């Protein structure tokens, strides 16, 4: 069932607008093949060079699982499926079966690139005004119909080479036999258990006194999370201790044997429906049976001599990235240093304009018509003309009263390439870190809280509240707008860069800067990944600067304040696990972003 399509007119700029113008941690990296070589650099252990295939993800176990698939004759899509399933076991705060995402695939042989859209959907019983303005997103009602399993199965059916079972096997083994948690995972589990226990101490949850009574007290909503992820000694997880997930192993066993229908039907679907009934959620077996992943054409753009491929709506990422690059291309950024006042200012001014268009125009393309001018060079030139180089434009001058709430940064991106050059960029998420924190009782996996990515309160858009613009208002079976931006950059028909990041709306800014760092500023990949990042999301009207020891960056915040920017210093932005392909010789360089940990694993070409 679809709602009627709406066409949004091209926006006329108001006159006011026209006139206004690490934390550093070492990443442990293991090589699956002896001939793949570590490369020296700032963070030696996270950088791997190899010529036969490369996987870079948030988890060493998952990257290894992907490389094992490549070594067994699988292609990059096979490997990506295995990595995604393994991450659901080894990085459960974001890797998932119960969430959704986007997989961008670029074949090397002239076949069209494709994006698998496996974004979650609103359940059939969802309504535009189903949420109270300040309702918690940590409830069963905040869960969207999961898309990950259908999406991975679709990618495999269309592009894969190895049997499905072979791709599920590593995840099942990791869940059943367990694996040693690393420091990042230990901290993550300790954190979510602590936060959930704190909520459980109050009847309604801390800070939620004015919110509607949830159908289950928090202590019951999160009881399964606490049971499944409880540390053996009942105290704290420490790096090196083993996490075993027997219920998840059984879910994966059924998935291996029965394919995606054994997730969207059968016992797993029943367990999801039971969980929803218990907690007052909306998802039914019918919602699960109806869920479809989609193959969509990627957004294509260009920057200098490179082609940019990004995900189409319902992700805003591809359009926003291309629009941003189009605007910045009109300025000669490289005539100044990467962190010059002017360049940072131009990035902020560009992002605030692009995020404004995102809020006004973007949503699920099956429900709203997306204007085509957003990615056109001419439109970018018009926007560029509204930017003053000597003065920041207050975001309020660009629109009426709007406010965009903060977002967390737990999603996960991985990059894969095989020996034939088939490239995969995959970003998927549970939305918040650990999603809704609701674990399906008896099935062992976490459910998303992706409904929070819809505009919760239609027509209510204010500085103190949230966005209520029509394109992203809830409707049954609609996909909520995303910022996930798995991206592939090519030059002269060959892959140059595979990248992406977590970080909510900051994803777009992070990916933008990965492309600029490599293409415009010609940084090598380790430098490009390590470089401090910035973000402006239109609202809040604030330019976030990632902290950095880089002396060239040093007084950037002072200089930018003089131009009228409101500056916030942030500890860390995103985690761009990326692959660069050496144009001379075609070697792959994999770099795991040190910000959240992770691992690049490469294999050597068969002789
Ligand atoms: O789809 C989106 O844009 C968000 N749900 C992604 C959430 C996210 O990245 C949170 N933290 N990284």
């Amino acid at each position: 069932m679809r709602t009627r399509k709406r066409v949004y007119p091209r926006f006329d700029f108001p006159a006011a607008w026209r006139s206004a113008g690490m934390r550093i941690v070492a990443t442990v990296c293991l090589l699956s093949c002896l001939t793949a070589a570590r490369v020296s650099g700032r963070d030696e252990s996270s950088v791997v060079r190899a010529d036969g295939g490369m996987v870079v993800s948030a988890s060493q176990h998952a990257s290894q699982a992907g490389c094992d698939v490549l070594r067994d004759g699988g292609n990059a899509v096979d490997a990506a499926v295995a990595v995604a399933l393994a991450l659901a076991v080894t990085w459960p705060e974001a890797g998932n079966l119960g969430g959704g995402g986007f997989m961008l695939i670029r074949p090397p042989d002239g076949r069209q690139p494709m994006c698998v859209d496996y974004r979650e959907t609103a359940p059939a019983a969802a309504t535009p005004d189903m949420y109270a303005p300040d309702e918690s997103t940590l409830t069963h009602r905040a869960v969207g119909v999961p898309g990950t399993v259908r999406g991975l199965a679709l990618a495999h059916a269309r592009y894969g080479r190895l049997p499905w079972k072979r791709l599920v096997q590593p995840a099942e083994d990791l869940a059943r036999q367990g694996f040693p948690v690393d420091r990042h995972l230990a901290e993550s589990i300790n954190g979510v258990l602590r936060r959930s226990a704190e909520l459980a101490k109050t009847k309604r949850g801390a800070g939620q006194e004015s919110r509607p009574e949830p159908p289950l007290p928090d202590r019951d909503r999160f009881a399964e999370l606490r049971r499944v992820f409880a540390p053996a000694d009942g105290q704290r997880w420490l790096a090196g201790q083993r996490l075993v997930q027997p219920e998840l192993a059984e879910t994966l066993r059924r998935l291996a044997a029965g394919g995606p229908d054994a997730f969207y039907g059968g016992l797993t679907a029943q367990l999801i429906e039971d969980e929803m009934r218990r907690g007052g959620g909306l998802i039914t077996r019918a919602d699960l049976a109806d869920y479809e992943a989609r193959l969509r054409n990627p957004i294509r753009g260009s920057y200098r001599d490179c082609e940019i491929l990004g995900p189409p709506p319902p992700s805003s990422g591809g359009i926003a990235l291309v629009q941003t690059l189009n605007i910045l291309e009109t300025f000669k950024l490289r005539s100044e240093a990467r962190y010059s006042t002017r360049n940072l200012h131009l990035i902020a001014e560009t992002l605030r304009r692009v995020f404004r268009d995102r809020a006004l125009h973007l949503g699920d393309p099956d429900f709203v018509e997306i204007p085509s001018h957003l990615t056109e060079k001419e439109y970018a030139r018009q926007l560029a003309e509204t930017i003053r180089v000597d003065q920041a434009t207050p975001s309020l001058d660009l629109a009426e009263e709007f406010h965009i709430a903060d977002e967390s940064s737990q999603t996960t991106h991985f990059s894969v390439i095989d020996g034939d050059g088939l490239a995969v960029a995959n970003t998927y998420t549970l939305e918040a870190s650990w999603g809704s924190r609701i674990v399906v009782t008896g099935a062992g996996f976490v459910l998303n809280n992706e409904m929070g990515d819809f505009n919760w309160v239609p027509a209510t858009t204010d500085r103190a509240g949230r966005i209520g613009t029509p394109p992203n208002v809830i409707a049954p079976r609609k996909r909520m707008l995303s910022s996930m931006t798995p991206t592939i950059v090519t030059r002269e028909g060959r892959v140059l860069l595979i990248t992406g990041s977590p970080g909510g709306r900051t994803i777009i800014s992070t990916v933008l800067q990965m492309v600029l760092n490599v293409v415009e500023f010609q940084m090598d990949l380790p430098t490009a990944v390590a470089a401090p990042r910035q973000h402006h999301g239109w609202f809040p009207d604030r330019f976030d600067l990632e902290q950095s020891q880089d002396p060239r960056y040093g007084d950037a915040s002072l200089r930018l304040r003089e131009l009228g920017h409101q500056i916030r210093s942030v500890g860390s932005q995103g985690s761009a696990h990326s692959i660069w392909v050496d144009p001379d010789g075609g070697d792959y360089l994999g770099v795991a972003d040190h910000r959240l940990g992770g691992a690049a694993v490469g294999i050597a070409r068969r002789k």
Side-chain angles (χ1 to χ4, degrees):
M1 192 196 311
R2 290 181 183 177
T3 58
R4 101 197 123 87
K5 289 201 172 198
R6 302 189 51 155
V7 182
Y8 292 90
R10 190 169 175 142
F11 187 77
D12 285 319
F13 302 114
W17 186 359
R18 284 198 297 267
S19 67
M22 197 149 23
R23 98 200 127 114
I24 303 292
V25 292
T27 307
V28 176
C29 178
L30 299 178
L31 301 182
S32 68
C33 275
L34 292 175
T35 42
R38 288 184 185 182
V39 173
S40 59
R42 297 123 290 278
D43 185 4
E44 187 172 10
S45 58
S46 67
V47 180
V48 171
R49 183 180 276 270
D51 62 359
M54 181 72 68
V55 181
V56 192
S57 83
S59 150
Q60 196 277 324
H61 300 282
S63 295
Q64 186 65 58
C67 259
D68 290 346
V69 163
L70 294 179
R71 198 191 48 215
D72 285 0
N75 64 22
V77 172
D78 291 316
V81 171
V83 171
L85 293 169
L87 282 168
V89 180
T90 61
W91 188 233
E93 70 164 70
N96 66 81
L97 303 180
F102 297 87
M103 182 184 287
L104 185 61
I105 299 167
R106 186 197 182 265
D109 50 12
R111 277 185 297 157
Q112 286 307 306
M114 197 51 76
C115 184
V116 183
D117 159 12
Y118 56 98
R119 183 69 161 163
E120 299 93 325
T121 55
T127 58
D129 53 1
M130 63 184 278
Y131 298 110
D134 59 350
E135 189 166 333
S136 166
T137 54
L138 300 179
T139 68
H140 291 68
R141 278 158 53 79
V143 181
V145 181
T148 294
V149 172
R150 276 272 177 243
L152 300 181
L154 177 58
H156 174 252
R158 177 82 179 226
Y159 295 93
R161 218 186 255 167
L162 295 186
W164 171 255
K165 264 187 175 170
R166 167 68 186 82
L167 310 182
V168 186
Q169 193 64 54
E172 185 187 337
D173 291 347
L174 284 161
R176 197 176 301 287
Q177 291 155 22
F179 63 95
V181 305
D182 62 15
R183 191 174 59 78
H184 294 285
L185 181 54
E187 277 173 13
S188 177
I189 304 179
N190 290 334
V192 74
L193 292 177
R194 190 188 61 248
R195 292 192 299 277
S196 302
E198 280 163 9
L199 273 179
K201 281 185 200 146
T202 60
K203 183 160 169 276
R204 290 173 161 187
Q208 298 183 25
E209 290 73 13
S210 65
R211 297 179 187 182
E213 183 76 48
L216 274 182
D218 294 315
R219 64 177 169 278
D220 294 341
R221 260 188 289 152
F222 308 131
E224 187 68 357
L225 176 91
R226 293 200 300 277
R227 189 186 68 76
V228 166
F229 292 100
D233 63 359
Q235 299 295 311
R236 287 180 64 74
W237 282 97
L238 298 173
Q241 290 175 334
R242 224 172 167 72
L243 173 62
V244 183
Q245 300 170 80
E247 283 103 345
L248 180 55
E250 278 303 289
T251 298
L252 289 162
R253 184 188 58 75
R254 293 193 294 277
L255 182 59
D261 291 347
F263 182 91
Y264 291 92
L267 177 59
T268 306
Q270 188 61 55
L271 292 170
I272 295 173
E273 190 179 72
D274 292 348
E275 185 61 49
M276 287 290 122
R277 281 222 185 91
R278 187 177 311 119
L282 300 187
I283 298 172
T284 62
R285 285 178 60 111
D287 285 316
L288 292 163
D290 283 353
Y291 181 84
E292 285 177 7
R294 298 271 160 77
L295 287 174
R296 299 189 193 271
N297 291 320
I299 297 295
R300 302 176 90 133
S302 66
Y303 185 79
R304 308 269 180 240
D305 57 348
C306 290
E307 186 185 31
I308 312 294
L309 298 171
S315 177
S316 60
I319 288 180
L321 176 64
V322 167
Q323 199 184 345
T324 315
L325 287 168
N326 283 346
I327 296 170
L328 289 172
E329 197 179 30
T330 68
F331 300 96
K332 295 198 171 9
L333 295 187
R334 197 140 55 93
S335 64
E336 294 198 5
R338 168 69 175 84
Y339 309 117
S340 74
T341 310
R342 170 184 167 273
N343 280 350
L344 292 172
H345 168 73
L346 289 173
I347 288 172
E349 290 301 297
T350 298
L351 284 168
R352 83 165 94 224
R353 284 159 174 78
V354 168
F355 273 96
R356 168 192 164 280
D357 276 358
R358 175 191 187 274
L360 279 177
H361 297 297
L362 300 187
D364 181 345
D366 294 341
F367 287 73
V368 297
E369 189 139 321
I370 309 293
S372 59
H373 71 269
L374 296 175
T375 53
E376 288 170 3
K377 300 274 188 195
E378 175 51 32
Y379 179 59
R381 271 191 287 275
Q382 290 171 23
L383 286 179
E385 280 170 14
T386 71
I387 296 176
R388 287 184 56 168
V389 289
D390 59 346
Q391 190 178 320
T393 313
S395 288
L396 272 178
D397 285 4
L398 302 184
E400 310 85 273
E401 298 263 293
F402 281 100
H403 170 79
I404 300 177
D406 278 350
E407 290 192 2
S408 66
S409 61
Q410 269 57 43
T411 289
T412 192
H413 172 83
F414 60 85
S415 300
V416 185
I417 192 163
D418 64 24
D420 296 328
L422 174 62
V424 176
N426 187 96
T427 314
Y428 72 153
T429 187
L430 292 163
E431 162 52 7
S433 176
W434 295 88
S436 64
R437 298 190 204 161
I438 292 160
V439 172
V440 177
T441 304
F445 62 88
V446 182
L447 289 168
N448 69 81
N449 59 348
E450 216 74 57
M451 292 293 282
D453 274 0
F454 278 118
N455 296 347
W456 274 39
V457 187
T460 301
T461 304
D462 56 51
R463 252 185 305 171
R466 52 190 81 207
I467 287 257
T469 47
N472 190 36
V473 161
I474 300 173
R477 300 199 174 89
K478 188 175 176 182
R479 288 157 143 86
M480 57 293 285
L481 186 64
S482 172
S483 295
M484 288 185 278
T485 315
T487 296
I488 299 174
V489 178
T490 68
R491 181 183 275 148
E492 294 171 357
R494 290 205 306 259
V495 173
L496 177 72
L497 177 69
I498 310 171
T499 192
S501 177
R505 272 181 290 265
T506 70
I507 292 171
I508 293 165
S509 306
T510 296
V511 173
L512 166 70
Q513 287 161 81
M514 284 301 302
V515 176
L516 289 177
N517 290 347
V518 170
V519 176
E520 179 75 16
F521 294 101
Q522 300 180 0
M523 294 179 188
D524 61 41
L525 190 62
T527 307
V529 169
R533 298 169 182 153
Q534 304 85 43
H535 170 69
H536 200 302
W538 181 34
F539 281 104
D541 188 349
R542 184 181 69 206
F543 194 25
D544 289 343
L545 303 185
E546 196 178 27
Q547 286 160 11
S548 168
Q549 305 302 322
D550 191 326
R552 288 164 300 181
Y553 193 58
D555 61 349
S557 57
L558 287 180
R559 291 179 272 132
L560 288 160
R561 279 198 180 100
E562 283 168 12
L563 293 185
H565 292 280
Q566 297 173 50
I567 301 295
R568 182 176 72 160
S569 171
V570 298
S572 164
Q573 179 179 313
S575 181
H577 299 313
S578 305
I579 297 172
W580 176 77
V581 183
D582 190 341
D584 299 328
D587 277 8
Y588 305 142
L589 196 67
V591 178
D593 195 326
H594 56 262
R595 290 169 178 82
L596 272 183
V601 180
I603 64 169
R605 187 175 290 282
R606 285 168 206 261
K607 301 294 178 210

